[in-house]
Amino acid sequence: SPARAAIVAPPPGREVVTLEEHVLLVYDPLTATQTIVVQHIFEGTSTPFGLLLPTPKPANVVVPSERLRRAINSRLHPQGKIQRTLEVEFTTWAGSCAVRSVGDAASGAEKRKLPPNAAAEGVNLGNAPDPIHDWLLHNGFTISPAQATWLAELRARGWSVVGVVVRPTTRGDAPPARLRGPVLALTHEATEPVYAAGHPPFAIDALGAHGEAPLLEIAVLTEWAVDVDVTEPPEPFFADAVSGRDVARIGTEAGGLPWAFRRDGTLTALDLPRPPGLGIIRFVPAEARATIHPVRAPRVRAHRLKVPVELLLLAAILGSWLWARNWRRGPRSRRLEVS
């Protein structure tokens, strides 16, 4: 079962599970700033909950359009060619008239196979413990002792905390299976690309952490290629040069960019296991590597053709009638030719 991959602060008695975490770090050495663009996928819930995100310095929080995440994802995970298939389904007019469909119609997100999203309100809570405590009380949220300890250790190192209230936009009593969290952009002062990813779980069971933490997808856009600052850095699944025109094109697709970096650079993306302890991931400059792109998976587009059984029977009857009619007229036409 998946574990929590962010400091999720649910209401008392509730539980919110993080399924995926997608992060883009945009580091601009000229302005000494970093923008963290992050989006989470949660198990479905219709209850508002909180997120606590640590940053090395106090951060400015904005909620950009989801088009930004789609523009980034289209480059990290390019789609392949469309493969069209035809599915023939036999139906019956009588059955469709006798049996009425029940339940709510599929929403637009369900038809596009996208989980519903959520709205967000973010605020910088700073480095002191009192604002975090007051924010939790004001919104009716709670965190575990392990999460509070982790935040306290980061604050002792000078890190700041951003609080985000997530409000699911779902309607109805039954929550969806998956919920897309808001796209968040946190901009702060920085001297290197860095991200705190070692978020402890909300609940602890007999085996330790509640489930296994999912992989973290993290990408870095800056002036040079990067590696994780470890002895044996992992290989990225994506690495390529990005021109200033490409960055501007992302901004056009997203309706604006929440970062200041607009120059030529390099985009590097990795799938990383959840780091232990504080889980601070640091990136260092690396030698330029050959272009790495993931294999483009084909997009299967199925066309479904519903054929009523009654229509087949009518076609068979009509064909039999035409054959019988021509067969009967055959001898008469031959007699007329002989005479």
Side-chain angles (χ1 to χ4, degrees):
S1 61
R4 291 88 191 141
I7 288 291
V8 180
R14 298 298 182 94
E15 193 174 19
V16 178
V17 178
T18 304
L19 302 177
E20 301 174 17
E21 183 176 19
H22 304 271
V23 180
L24 170 68
L25 306 180
V26 183
Y27 174 65
D28 188 351
L30 293 184
T31 59
T33 59
Q34 174 180 264
T35 298
I36 304 172
V37 180
V38 58
Q39 183 179 37
H40 301 88
I41 305 296
F42 305 97
E43 280 189 359
T45 180
S46 56
T47 304
F49 58 93
L51 286 177
L52 292 172
L53 303 172
T55 56
K57 298 292 182 181
N60 178 46
V61 190
V62 297
V63 183
S65 168
E66 181 132 355
R67 291 184 296 167
L68 175 61
R69 182 63 228 173
R70 289 199 296 265
I72 297 169
N73 194 63
S74 65
R75 282 148 178 86
L76 298 180
H77 304 281
Q79 295 182 334
K81 296 181 179 179
I82 298 177
Q83 295 182 355
R84 303 182 185 274
T85 61
L86 179 62
E87 299 177 0
V88 179
E89 178 182 354
F90 295 101
T91 61
T92 170
W93 286 332
S96 61
C97 294
V99 181
R100 295 182 179 179
S101 59
V102 296
D104 297 331
S107 64
E110 291 173 339
K111 292 178 181 178
R112 298 190 303 271
K113 298 182 179 180
L114 290 175
N117 61 351
E121 302 170 5
V123 61
N124 178 34
L125 300 176
N127 180 267
D130 290 342
I132 300 176
H133 181 265
D134 295 342
W135 181 82
L136 291 171
L137 288 180
H138 175 74
N139 291 285
F141 300 148
T142 183
I143 59 176
S144 69
Q147 292 174 323
T149 301
W150 183 73
L151 289 176
E153 292 179 0
L154 286 175
R155 292 200 313 271
R157 294 171 177 253
W159 284 57
S160 184
V161 178
V162 169
V164 180
V165 178
V166 180
R167 304 185 187 279
T169 56
T170 57
R171 297 179 180 178
D173 297 331
R178 292 161 62 89
L179 175 71
R180 283 180 297 136
V183 179
L184 303 171
L186 319 176
T187 301
H188 57 84
E189 297 179 358
T191 58
E192 60 181 346
V194 60
Y195 184 69
H199 308 291
F202 181 80
I204 301 294
D205 58 22
L207 299 178
H210 187 83
E212 296 180 358
L215 290 177
L216 166 69
E217 180 186 284
I218 185 167
V220 180
L221 172 61
T222 187
E223 287 189 347
W224 46 73
V226 297
D227 271 332
V228 182
D229 190 12
V230 294
T231 304
E232 297 182 0
E235 284 296 317
F237 70 83
F238 183 98
D240 199 358
V242 178
S243 66
R245 184 173 298 178
D246 293 333
V247 177
R249 189 176 296 112
I250 294 176
T252 301
E253 296 175 11
L257 292 175
W259 60 73
F261 188 85
R262 299 288 195 277
R263 305 180 302 280
D264 296 351
T266 300
L267 179 62
T268 309
L270 309 95
D271 283 327
L272 300 177
R274 193 64 50 176
L278 290 179
I280 298 177
I281 302 176
R282 302 182 186 276
F283 294 90
V284 294
E287 295 183 1
R289 53 173 58 92
T291 299
I292 302 174
H293 283 184
V295 178
R296 298 194 177 196
R299 292 178 292 166
V300 178
R301 182 166 297 176
H303 297 273
R304 181 171 297 176
L305 178 62
K306 294 184 177 181
V307 180
V309 177
E310 293 85 351
L311 185 61
L312 294 177
L313 293 176
L314 289 175
I317 294 172
L318 180 60
S320 301
W321 178 77
L322 292 175
W323 178 83
R325 182 181 179 186
N326 292 334
W327 183 81
R328 292 174 181 174
R329 293 179 58 185
R332 182 181 304 174
S333 61
R334 285 195 294 270
R335 287 196 297 271
L336 291 175
E337 292 176 358
V338 172
S339 61

